[in-house]
Amino acid sequence: MALLSPLLLCALPASADPTDEESAEEQEIVVLGTRGARGDRTLSSGPVTEKMSQSSRSVERDLLTAAGVHRLGDALELISGVSSQNNRGGMLDNFAIRGFLGTPDGGAEYYVDGFLANRGMAPPRDPATAERIELLKGPAGALFGDVDPGGRVNIVTKTPGFAPAASATLTFGAFGTRRIELDATVPVSTKLAGRMVVAGEDSDGWRDFVTLKRRVVSPSLTWRPIEGVRLTYIGEITRFDAPFDRGVPAIAGDANAAPRHAYYGEPSDGMTRFRNNRHQVTALAKLGGEWVLNGGLAWRTGSLRGFSSDQSRLVNGRTLWRQRRSRDFVVDDLSARIELAGQIGTHRLSLGAKGYLLDYAERWMRRNPSAAMPYAIDVFAPVHGGVQPELLPFTDNRERRWSGTLYLQDMWELGSRLTLGGGIRFDAYRQQIRNNRTGATGRTTGEPVHFRLGARYRVNQAIALHANWGESFLLNSGTDRFGRGFAPERGKGHELGITGAWTGIDVALTWFNIRKQGILTNDPIDSNYLAPIGSLKSRGIEMDAAIKLAGRWQVVANYAWTRARTDDSSFATDRVLNVPEHAGTLFVLGRFRDAAGRGPSFSAGLSYVGDRAGGIDGSGLVLPAYVKAKAAAEYALSSAINLRAEIDNLFDARYAHSSYSPVWIFPGQPRTARVSMRLEL
């Protein structure tokens, strides 16, 4: 079959909601926090996904604020089965879901408003623009037609409302942190409304010489020209500047032995500058009856440029040899989607198409250390300012992808208790990676077909059983140490679970078993490159609970047992980087406000992360288990003025947050206090 044009208007949510209102029957996904009564379903998961994905969770804006979410990983701690991964020198959000990680260089893929938002690369997300963060787990988390047995993250952006509102938040914290957030929505008429979200943050940093400067501007418009038609524009301009920071090395197998504040790069390398510009338009049209046409277009451009001095080898237990690098990455990503959804009898059908064009260039220069030129620094008494080696050409690749997808899915209600779901997906793709240094070009093409099936049985009004099975497919970027491209990642997985929902109580217990092949990780022979794992299998049990008591207390608790192992004989260990077998979180929030909105609120959280592999190179490095606590107190002087004080890592635990190799370990942040004032109109 000929390649589908990826700019056919392409696929949207797993099923579009024919109304703006989210009815009680459609809110099957567990909401952590309080969701507003109305939502733009062109940006979020649809009722099919929400009903069939019983292990999924949505963290709402009020809980994001109460939990002190300052990065994407903070929000994902509230949901079981997520583990932190290498942050690429502090330049990306990276995590694993159910033991399956994104590439160490590009990070785990995530969506913003239903569009893949970090294909190629993207800077760390700023929480100021998020209305909620959805983690759609398992094969039923087939958001916007994409199927992955592990799950997908979708960040829903703030959009305009038709009632005027404004807020401003000022934050000051340890290590010279200064931050401001402004958020204003204005109805221009009964048909047009606008919103502007602005955030700026500066910090001296808790690691020596590692400062931060971040700016985000997000304008949006919603237009309802006639009844049943809605168009939404969202823009996002991000500037993220920080020194490239590879963390610390392990000393004699101890990931916490080196001073956690010490910076082993060179301050004279200056800032690495991340630029990201994103524009999207989505539209929804009610066609009559239960039928809805839903579509969108997103265009994202970005660049990352800078120099770094990265540790390469530890000699005599305290001397770090370093390599010097320069990075010049550019991305241009255009995505489109369309879906027709409706109901025929007891069948809720959706037919969709989607596609994208990606143009991604990576230009690196590098100079490796040697005995004659070690470019060394002392671990325990670092002295900066040495003579920097001249850089040499290393990698100059340009990747282009053309991809188009068609899918069809159905949710079939067989009476009041049993619901069946299924979908078929056809992908057509071409991928070309050109090595500009050698002229060699690698090409990959394919037209795979994948399926997913699911079932949900309501035992009674409170208890339901669910089962899901699905196949996955994902194109890989980059080249190996021989300059060759990678085959796509492929996988199959299933889950079985039981959920219970009573007034104020939601609980879920899920067992999963997933196998994938072709997943990229750092090459155990040369960690400067990537290599595919022959096969990675993960199975485990997840438990999640959300409890609301007496209108004042809210408790979020989770636990995950995850056994992720590889079966590739070329790797020295079968363990997977940064994935603990045991992890859990407990978060408690109490609100004590009067009818006028005045009064205190208190919150506290505790996170446990078990032992994890810190290297796959034969070193046997293990990142030790740790427990991290947080606490916060707020006082609302009125419905418009709120004061907040919070402390993260309350007991100043010393821990390794994540690792790429034994010499690239990112230490956990020490005790950090912040105070803020929020004004609302």
Side-chain angles (χ1 to χ4, degrees):
M1 184 179 293
L3 178 72
L4 293 175
S5 169
L7 289 183
L8 289 171
L9 286 177
C10 309
L12 217 69
S15 183
D17 189 352
T19 68
D20 288 338
E21 300 290 346
E22 296 178 284
S23 66
E25 291 77 20
E26 290 166 345
Q27 285 195 9
E28 300 287 350
I29 191 172
V30 174
V31 171
L32 303 180
T34 303
R35 178 173 293 187
R38 303 176 71 85
D40 188 340
R41 296 304 286 257
T42 65
L43 312 178
S44 183
S45 56
V48 171
T49 298
E50 294 199 346
K51 187 164 188 174
M52 300 301 291
S53 186
Q54 295 291 285
S55 56
S56 301
R57 295 292 183 268
S58 176
V59 186
E60 303 299 313
R61 177 72 254 173
D62 63 329
L63 189 58
L64 292 174
T65 300
V69 169
H70 297 278
R71 61 182 187 274
L72 180 57
D74 294 334
L76 298 180
E77 284 183 357
L78 296 170
I79 307 170
S80 66
V82 182
S83 53
S84 297
Q85 296 291 314
N86 159 61
N87 64 12
R88 199 184 197 181
M91 294 292 144
L92 58 76
D93 295 307
N94 199 2
F95 50 86
I97 301 175
R98 292 183 169 177
F100 292 96
L101 51 153
T103 66
D105 283 345
E109 291 188 334
Y110 61 82
Y111 289 79
V112 174
D113 304 325
F115 292 99
L116 192 58
N118 64 336
R119 191 166 22 229
M121 62 175 187
R125 297 293 306 174
D126 192 295
T129 62
E131 185 63 39
R132 63 180 176 271
I133 297 175
E134 302 170 330
L135 177 50
L136 305 171
K137 293 187 184 179
L143 182 64
F144 310 110
D146 290 327
V147 180
D148 188 275
R152 293 292 194 192
V153 170
N154 181 49
I155 302 168
V156 180
T157 306
K158 295 175 179 177
T159 54
F162 282 84
S167 67
T169 304
L170 298 174
T171 301
F172 297 91
F175 314 112
T177 299
R178 296 90 65 197
R179 179 177 172 86
I180 183 170
E181 296 179 23
L182 304 175
D183 183 358
T185 186
V186 178
V188 180
S189 68
T190 58
K191 297 183 177 181
L192 180 67
R195 188 169 188 169
M196 178 68 77
V197 179
V198 178
E201 181 176 348
D202 291 281
S203 175
D204 298 335
W206 63 272
R207 287 178 48 73
D208 297 343
F209 306 106
V210 183
T211 59
L212 170 66
K213 183 176 181 179
R214 175 161 57 180
R215 305 288 186 266
V216 178
V217 177
S218 179
S220 56
L221 291 170
T222 293
W223 183 38
R224 302 188 298 198
I226 59 175
E227 183 69 24
V229 175
R230 182 178 66 246
L231 290 89
T232 301
Y233 161 79
I234 299 175
E236 188 175 88
I237 301 168
T238 302
R239 304 289 183 262
F240 186 92
D241 297 344
F244 205 87
D245 178 17
R246 286 294 192 184
V248 303
I251 308 296
D254 185 351
N256 293 320
R260 61 180 170 182
H261 61 83
Y263 176 58
Y264 299 115
E266 279 295 328
S268 61
D269 284 330
M271 293 286 199
T272 294
R273 304 186 186 278
F274 221 140
R275 303 291 181 260
N276 196 70
N277 302 318
R278 185 171 176 274
H279 304 275
Q280 71 178 44
V281 177
T282 58
L284 180 145
K286 300 177 185 178
L287 305 179
E290 296 290 331
W291 291 91
V292 175
L293 185 65
N294 193 353
L297 183 73
W299 179 41
R300 185 175 63 89
T301 60
S303 65
L304 183 150
R305 295 184 174 94
F307 295 88
S308 68
S309 298
D310 304 335
Q311 47 263 38
S312 177
R313 178 183 174 189
L314 182 64
V315 180
N316 65 37
R318 66 177 300 153
T319 302
L320 271 176
W321 289 12
R322 298 179 298 173
Q323 61 178 234
R324 190 157 188 258
R325 297 187 178 192
S326 71
R327 297 170 180 82
D328 184 359
F329 303 164
V330 179
V331 64
D332 191 317
D333 187 6
L334 179 64
S335 303
R337 67 190 194 214
I338 193 167
E339 182 184 83
L340 177 66
Q343 193 160 343
I344 300 177
T346 58
H347 293 268
R348 190 187 285 266
L349 300 166
S350 56
L351 173 65
K354 65 180 294 182
Y356 68 86
L357 298 173
L358 175 68
D359 191 343
Y360 180 47
E362 285 191 337
R363 290 178 287 273
W364 304 63
M365 297 185 74
R366 187 183 76 173
R367 186 64 174 264
N368 277 332
S370 64
M373 188 181 295
Y375 192 37
I377 194 168
D378 191 290
V379 172
F380 298 101
V383 177
H384 302 89
V387 177
Q388 295 183 319
E390 181 183 354
L391 290 169
L392 300 174
F394 174 48
T395 298
D396 187 353
N397 290 342
R398 184 175 184 181
E399 176 183 358
R400 294 180 176 180
R401 292 192 216 166
W402 302 260
S403 179
T405 299
L406 291 174
Y407 72 89
L408 172 68
Q409 65 179 17
D410 179 26
M411 187 176 75
W412 184 17
E413 301 277 3
L414 282 82
S416 60
R417 292 180 181 267
L418 180 62
T419 303
L420 301 179
I424 181 172
R425 171 186 170 108
F426 167 76
D427 290 281
Y429 65 88
R430 290 177 182 169
Q431 182 182 38
Q432 174 183 296
I433 301 178
R434 174 182 170 80
N435 185 327
N436 292 324
R437 293 183 60 203
T438 65
T441 300
R443 293 180 174 87
T444 304
T445 63
E447 297 173 351
V449 177
H450 295 97
F451 301 89
R452 72 179 180 92
L453 299 170
R456 178 176 183 268
Y457 182 76
R458 184 181 289 277
V459 178
N460 53 42
Q461 287 299 107
I463 298 173
L465 307 174
H466 67 275
N468 290 293
W469 173 89
E471 301 174 306
S472 68
F473 161 83
L474 177 67
L475 287 173
N476 281 317
S477 288
T479 55
D480 63 15
R481 67 179 186 273
F482 303 108
R484 302 172 303 198
F486 301 107
E489 170 191 306
R490 299 178 184 274
K492 294 182 180 180
H494 56 274
E495 66 175 12
L496 301 171
I498 182 171
T499 60
W502 298 268
T503 301
I505 300 176
D506 290 282
V507 295
L509 176 66
T510 305
W511 173 83
F512 63 87
N513 193 330
I514 309 168
R515 181 185 291 272
K516 289 186 184 181
Q517 59 185 17
I519 297 173
L520 298 185
T521 188
N522 54 316
D523 191 322
I525 305 301
D526 185 346
S527 62
N528 294 298
Y529 295 91
L530 300 177
I533 296 172
S535 179
L536 191 160
K537 182 177 181 180
S538 180
R539 67 181 188 274
I541 297 173
E542 297 170 345
M543 293 182 287
D544 288 89
I547 303 171
K548 295 181 180 179
L549 300 173
R552 295 186 180 276
W553 292 96
Q554 183 172 0
V555 179
V556 176
N558 64 67
Y559 165 77
W561 171 72
T562 307
R563 184 173 174 80
R565 294 291 187 268
T566 67
D567 61 3
D568 194 322
S569 60
S570 65
F571 288 77
T573 176
D574 64 351
R575 297 189 69 179
V576 180
L577 272 176
N578 300 302
V579 177
E581 284 206 15
H582 302 278
T585 295
L586 175 65
F587 180 76
V588 180
L589 170 64
R591 294 188 175 98
F592 305 90
R593 297 184 179 178
D594 60 23
R598 297 184 298 264
S601 299
F602 304 97
S603 64
L606 203 64
S607 296
Y608 170 79
V609 177
D611 292 346
R612 297 139 289 148
I616 58 173
D617 58 352
S619 65
L621 178 65
V622 173
L623 307 185
Y626 67 90
V627 176
K628 180 167 67 76
K630 65 167 63 174
E634 296 185 15
Y635 195 89
L637 301 176
S638 68
S639 59
I641 303 176
N642 189 79
L643 304 178
R644 176 182 173 89
E646 62 183 278
I647 301 177
D648 199 9
N649 195 0
L650 181 63
F651 302 113
D652 201 25
R654 176 68 196 269
Y655 65 98
H657 181 264
S658 60
S659 174
Y660 182 86
S661 75
V663 294
W664 290 354
I665 301 168
F666 203 80
Q669 185 167 310
R671 182 189 295 116
T672 304
R674 304 179 188 91
V675 294
S676 62
M677 179 175 66
R678 180 178 176 86
L679 306 176
E680 294 186 355
L681 299 177

